[in-house]
Amino acid sequence: MKFIEAMKLRSKLFILFILITLGLFAIGIMGTGYINSMKKNIDSLYFGSLIPITELNEILQTYHYDLGNTVYRLSRDDIQKDEAIANIENALRIVRVKWRSYMSHFKREDELQYVEYVNSEIYSINNYFEKIAQAVGSDSTLRHKISVSTLEKRLSVIHKVLQKLIVYETKVANYERKTFLETYDSIVMQLGVILGLIILSILSISLYVFRSIQNDQTKLELASKKLKIANKKLENASYTDSLTNLHNRRYFNFIYEKELKRAKRNKNYITFMMLDIDFFKQYNDTYGHVEGDFALKSVAKVLKDSLRRPSDYVFRLGGEEFGVLLSETDESHSARLAREICNAVRAREIKHEASKVNQYLTISIGVVCMIADEKLDEELLISRADDMLYRAKESGRDRYIITTKLKEPEAKVKSA
């Protein structure tokens, strides 16, 4: 070890080159065997297990045969309340497990946005079944108020969404296998040539390194600074929604906990708003996804223009859902901001002929505003805002509802 430490840097690099060269020869010997093994693994992955497709089909079957059938029987008094609730909870657990497993598989960039959309749809329909279980659990007479048509509509939507994903996964599997088989033979032939080119490249690069070792030190320092800048830009990009240029869900998860802890520490107000574009699916169906993207950008611009403080955070949580996180903003100011946002979106006069509340595009907002303390639960704050958003929609949309209590059933309903 002392001998190596005493050697000059050039000698160390030369030894490193020898080791790399020997390693490349070893890779060449093992390469053919590994490629044959890789071929079997690819075939097994796409046509042996078809895990993603199996998981999606199981989710689809759970919705139709477990959840759908249970709720339908519940509405007809064909099943006991406790058994129905247990069936719903067990089926939802299966759906979540299978969906998490599917999400853990590799996803291509071109499918990420649709997968996020499917995720939001699954969250929505799961929430629908959870509310049915909760409602029936608190009052068994509510089973007669279950709308079978609403159930069928919900199941139809999730069926179409998941079926589209299943078709996509099947096509990808076929395409990947076809592509691999086309390139397999050429890879084997090119392996030796590539190894030779790599060795020649390493020889040339090493010779250059030997002649310019001092200059390289300076270049490495400069490259390190540039890399830090690039990493910072990459980090910012990973926290930004590509369509609206707002913060994305990932950044929300990062900043929400920090801001909540800061508010608790300082005993300050914290406000969370959950916003949703009214009848956005109908808007997309009427005007197309290009206009739908324009509508999302328009709402994002309203949020940016309305919330300019450095401590105001605006997020696109997914689909047509947005979030706003404010600190040191009391109830009256939070309500004023929510009202201004509703009015500003409506004032843009974006035509929405399929809307049932206005001729122009509108939004609904659920707002929770309170002084943070140690009892404040971060999950409950989000859930409460979601409840307020739901009540705003139930109250007629194109409005906001604000509450200052996490467990208080009453809230202040405000029509924008």
Side-chain angles (χ1 to χ4, degrees):
M1 293 295 295
K2 291 183 178 179
F3 172 73
I4 295 177
E5 292 175 358
M7 293 175 63
K8 293 182 179 180
L9 183 57
R10 293 184 180 182
S11 300
K12 293 179 181 179
L13 289 173
F14 179 76
I15 292 176
L16 180 62
F17 163 72
I18 296 298
L19 292 175
I20 292 174
T21 303
L22 292 175
L24 290 173
F25 278 116
I27 291 173
I29 295 173
M30 295 183 294
T32 303
Y34 285 158
I35 289 177
N36 285 328
S37 175
M38 182 175 65
K39 177 178 180 293
K40 294 178 181 179
N41 289 337
I42 291 292
D43 277 344
S44 174
L45 176 62
Y46 288 106
F47 286 92
S49 60
L50 287 176
I51 292 175
I53 298 175
T54 301
E55 291 169 341
L56 291 173
N57 278 316
E58 288 176 355
I59 293 173
L60 202 55
Q61 291 176 5
T62 302
Y63 277 128
H64 281 287
Y65 298 111
D66 294 338
L67 287 165
N69 187 50
T70 298
V71 173
Y72 180 76
R73 291 175 62 197
L74 185 63
S75 68
R76 295 171 56 89
D77 282 334
D78 291 343
I79 187 172
Q80 294 295 321
K81 177 188 71 174
D82 293 338
E83 181 183 354
I85 293 174
N87 288 350
I88 291 173
E89 291 175 347
N90 183 60
L92 288 176
R93 181 185 61 78
I94 293 173
V95 168
R96 293 189 184 99
V97 169
K98 293 298 180 182
W99 181 247
R100 281 198 299 269
S101 176
Y102 171 78
M103 290 285 285
S104 67
H105 302 317
F106 172 77
K107 299 290 182 297
R108 293 162 182 79
E109 290 185 3
D110 58 349
E111 67 176 315
L112 284 177
Q113 185 173 358
Y114 187 74
V115 170
E116 286 298 323
Y117 166 72
V118 176
N119 187 58
S120 68
E121 289 294 329
I122 287 178
Y123 175 84
S124 175
I125 196 170
N126 285 355
N127 190 44
Y128 165 74
F129 284 114
E130 287 172 352
K131 287 180 178 178
I132 290 178
Q134 292 171 1
V136 173
S138 61
D139 186 356
S140 61
T141 61
L142 292 177
R143 66 169 64 193
H144 302 296
K145 296 183 179 181
I146 296 174
S147 172
V148 176
S149 62
T150 300
L151 172 65
E152 292 174 348
K153 182 179 179 181
R154 290 270 191 167
L155 291 175
S156 176
V157 170
I158 201 65
H159 178 86
K160 292 178 181 178
V161 169
L162 287 174
Q163 193 61 43
K164 183 177 179 181
L165 201 54
I166 291 171
V167 171
Y168 174 83
E169 291 286 355
T170 304
K171 289 181 179 179
V172 168
N174 282 283
Y175 174 78
E176 289 290 344
R177 183 174 186 273
K178 179 181 178 181
T179 302
F180 181 79
L181 291 176
E182 289 175 351
T183 58
Y184 171 73
D185 292 334
S186 63
I187 289 176
V188 174
M189 296 179 62
Q190 293 171 3
L191 182 61
V193 176
I194 292 174
L195 286 175
L197 292 175
I198 291 174
I199 293 174
L200 290 176
S201 299
I202 291 176
L203 283 170
S204 301
I205 294 172
S206 299
L207 182 62
Y208 175 77
V209 170
F210 296 155
R211 292 177 178 176
S212 58
I213 190 71
Q214 295 300 326
N215 293 334
D216 283 349
Q217 183 65 33
T218 303
K219 291 179 180 179
L220 284 173
E221 292 176 358
L222 181 60
S224 178
K225 294 179 181 179
K226 291 181 178 179
L227 183 59
K228 289 180 180 178
I229 295 173
N231 285 338
K232 186 63 177 178
K233 291 181 179 178
L234 182 61
E235 181 181 359
N236 292 337
S238 68
Y239 286 142
T240 302
D241 176 63
S242 59
L243 178 65
T244 62
N245 287 325
L246 297 179
H247 298 308
N248 59 17
R249 185 61 181 255
R250 180 182 179 189
Y251 189 69
F252 168 75
N253 295 335
F254 169 74
I255 204 67
Y256 175 68
E257 183 179 358
K258 291 179 61 177
E259 286 297 304
L260 187 58
K261 288 181 179 178
R262 185 168 70 89
K264 287 182 179 180
R265 187 168 58 251
N266 298 328
K267 298 295 187 296
N268 284 333
Y269 277 99
I270 187 165
T271 298
F272 181 64
M273 301 182 186
M274 192 167 288
L275 306 84
D276 192 86
I277 299 176
D278 297 328
F279 300 108
F280 186 69
K281 181 181 183 300
Q282 290 84 345
Y283 186 90
N284 268 336
D285 293 341
T286 303
Y287 300 102
H289 290 284
V290 174
E291 289 298 320
D293 290 346
F294 172 77
L296 290 171
K297 293 177 182 177
S298 298
V299 173
K301 188 176 190 310
V302 168
L303 294 174
K304 289 179 186 177
D305 293 342
S306 303
L307 304 162
R308 295 179 175 274
R309 297 186 309 171
S311 59
D312 296 343
Y313 296 96
V314 184
F315 312 90
R316 183 186 179 198
L317 300 178
E320 70 273 25
E321 190 173 75
F322 298 84
V324 174
L325 185 64
L326 309 174
S327 57
E328 301 180 21
T329 305
D330 60 21
E331 180 188 1
S332 63
H333 285 83
S334 297
R336 177 179 58 82
L337 284 171
R339 182 171 58 253
E340 290 177 354
I341 291 170
C342 284
N343 292 338
V345 170
R346 193 186 317 106
R348 292 184 73 88
E349 296 187 353
I350 301 172
K351 282 287 186 180
H352 191 350
E353 296 176 355
S355 174
K356 299 178 181 179
V357 296
N358 199 291
Q359 61 178 323
Y360 299 122
L361 192 77
T362 59
I363 61 172
S364 300
I365 308 178
V367 188
V368 180
C369 175
M370 61 187 57
I371 295 178
D373 55 31
E374 293 303 323
K375 297 179 181 180
L376 180 59
D377 183 87
E378 58 187 48
E379 295 297 331
L380 191 56
L381 184 65
I382 298 174
S383 175
R384 188 64 167 151
D386 187 56
D387 290 341
M388 294 303 100
L389 175 59
Y390 177 78
R391 290 180 60 181
K393 291 182 178 181
E394 289 294 305
S395 301
R397 292 182 169 85
D398 188 18
R399 66 193 63 217
Y400 69 92
I401 296 184
I402 183 169
T403 184
T404 59
K405 302 291 184 181
L406 283 179
K407 297 183 180 179
E408 184 182 42
E410 295 81 12
K412 299 180 180 180
V413 182
K414 301 292 183 179
S415 175

